[in-house]
Amino acid sequence: MVKVMVPATSANLGPGFDFLGLALDLYNTVSFTPADAWHVTAEGYGAAALTGRSDLLVCKALKRVFVEVGEELRGGVVHLENRIPEAGGLGTSAAAIVGGLAAANQFLGEPLSRDDLLALAVEIEGHPDNVAPAVFGGLVGVVKTAAQPYTYLKIPFPPELHVVLAIPDLRVPTTEARNLLPPTVPLTEAVFNLSRTGLLVGACYAGRADLFRLAMEDALHQNRRAVLIPGFHQVINTAYQKGALGVALSGAGPTVIAFAPKNKQEAVGAGMVAVFNKQGIEAQWLSVAVNLDGFRFV
Ligand code: HSE
């Protein structure tokens, strides 16, 4: 049996839409051994809805690796331990895909490299910015190109910035949140985001956490998605008032990610939760470390 832990990921970090993602020290685990039919069991978030299924992303990913190496997988005994809240915005689909790919690859004796797994993961997920940090860990900038392997860069993340997640009890499917976005955008919005994205990457290399607030502004997706997240703008403002240095929608939301000095984490987290609560929405906050190495076997 093979067992792999895959980190949660937070994509975009504001302006870096479909480019930037950060791996977090919070994991879903996939255990796998091949079998003649599918036997899926699960514990943790969403367990009841996953147990007994054979149409899950993790099964698709397991099968995809076998096809890639010219073999067939009829089924498997799969056990999922889900510790990543599934509200949305923390890369649970990327974790399922990368978990399935990594487990199958390990079982087969690692015929594929991590670069190969990234390409297969993007093929299944569509966008690359959750799967890349789930594979490689840390803060990753990844460019989806016509040719593979995809080019990615691990960007140093300022260690003095601590991650605070505000996770409201809302469901925002990524497809729904992507459908809110227009197919083309004005040049002003494009310039707004490319200047911030450049500044954000530069701020990481320069260790300039003080630049994060400006560098995490976005004009492409957050305002359009805010209609699905009551109180979103106030959550952002409150996090800044409580001492955050950067705040953004995590991926397609509804989770909000803030970066704060260690001594401000609690105030920022509790402040964001209080705003969601005022909107009548249950929420929890978590402080998590950054995962630096991507998936790992246990
Ligand atoms: N870049 C993707 C999006 C991430 O914003 O739709 C989804 O987690």
Side-chain angles (χ1 to χ4, degrees):
M1 194 198 65
V2 171
K3 188 170 179 181
V4 61
M5 290 171 73
V6 189
T9 47
S10 178
N12 303 329
L13 302 191
F17 183 79
D18 281 3
F19 168 63
L20 282 176
L22 180 68
L24 303 173
D25 192 24
L26 183 67
Y27 302 87
N28 280 356
T29 300
V30 177
S31 303
F32 163 70
T33 191
D36 286 335
W38 290 103
H39 303 280
V40 176
T41 53
E43 60 187 281
Y45 291 106
L50 298 170
T51 298
R53 300 255 302 268
S54 59
D55 59 342
L56 302 175
L57 276 175
V58 64
C59 303
K60 185 175 180 177
L62 286 162
K63 284 191 282 194
R64 184 64 186 83
V65 171
F66 278 72
V67 168
E68 187 69 10
V69 300
E71 295 196 30
E72 191 200 350
L73 177 67
R74 284 195 297 277
V77 178
V78 175
H79 184 66
L80 309 172
E81 291 166 47
N82 290 345
R83 305 290 170 226
I84 305 173
E86 50 171 5
L90 291 174
T92 50
S93 61
I97 292 165
V98 171
L101 296 174
N105 190 47
Q106 180 77 359
F107 182 85
L108 291 167
E110 291 193 276
L112 305 180
S113 66
R114 287 200 182 217
D115 279 15
D116 297 330
L117 297 183
L118 173 65
L120 295 183
V122 174
E123 177 190 304
I124 298 172
E125 172 104 313
H127 56 89
D129 47 340
N130 288 103
V131 292
V135 171
F136 300 111
L139 176 61
V140 180
V142 54
V143 180
K144 192 177 167 187
T145 44
Q148 291 152 20
Y150 297 122
T151 296
Y152 69 90
L153 184 65
K154 282 187 75 163
I155 298 162
F157 189 75
E160 72 271 30
L161 288 181
H162 296 268
V163 178
V164 183
L165 303 170
I167 306 169
D169 194 7
L170 291 171
R171 285 297 161 80
V172 174
T174 298
T175 39
E176 193 183 326
R178 286 182 86 85
N179 287 341
L180 287 170
L181 308 181
T184 58
V185 297
L187 186 62
T188 47
E189 289 181 10
V191 170
F192 189 102
N193 270 51
L194 69 86
S195 55
R196 269 83 179 163
T197 305
L199 187 66
L200 184 55
V201 172
C204 288
Y205 278 98
R208 293 281 306 275
D210 60 300
L211 295 176
F212 265 52
R213 184 169 184 164
L214 175 63
M216 286 180 70
E217 290 179 345
D218 156 74
L220 292 182
H221 67 106
Q222 294 189 159
N223 285 343
R224 296 180 169 110
R225 288 169 160 172
V227 296
L228 299 174
I229 308 163
F232 172 71
H233 294 292
Q234 216 189 321
V235 170
I236 301 270
N237 291 339
T238 300
Y240 280 125
Q241 278 161 17
K242 300 288 182 186
L245 296 173
V247 192
L249 189 61
S250 183
T255 296
V256 174
I257 185 166
F259 300 120
K262 200 168 181 46
N263 64 349
K264 302 283 175 151
Q265 277 179 298
E266 186 165 354
V268 169
M272 292 194 289
V273 163
V275 176
F276 278 125
N277 290 164
K278 245 190 233 157
Q279 300 285 331
I281 299 166
E282 291 289 313
Q284 57 166 321
W285 70 270
L286 292 177
S287 70
V288 293
V290 170
N291 160 288
L292 293 174
D293 303 311
F295 68 77
R296 67 169 179 265
F297 299 99
V298 285

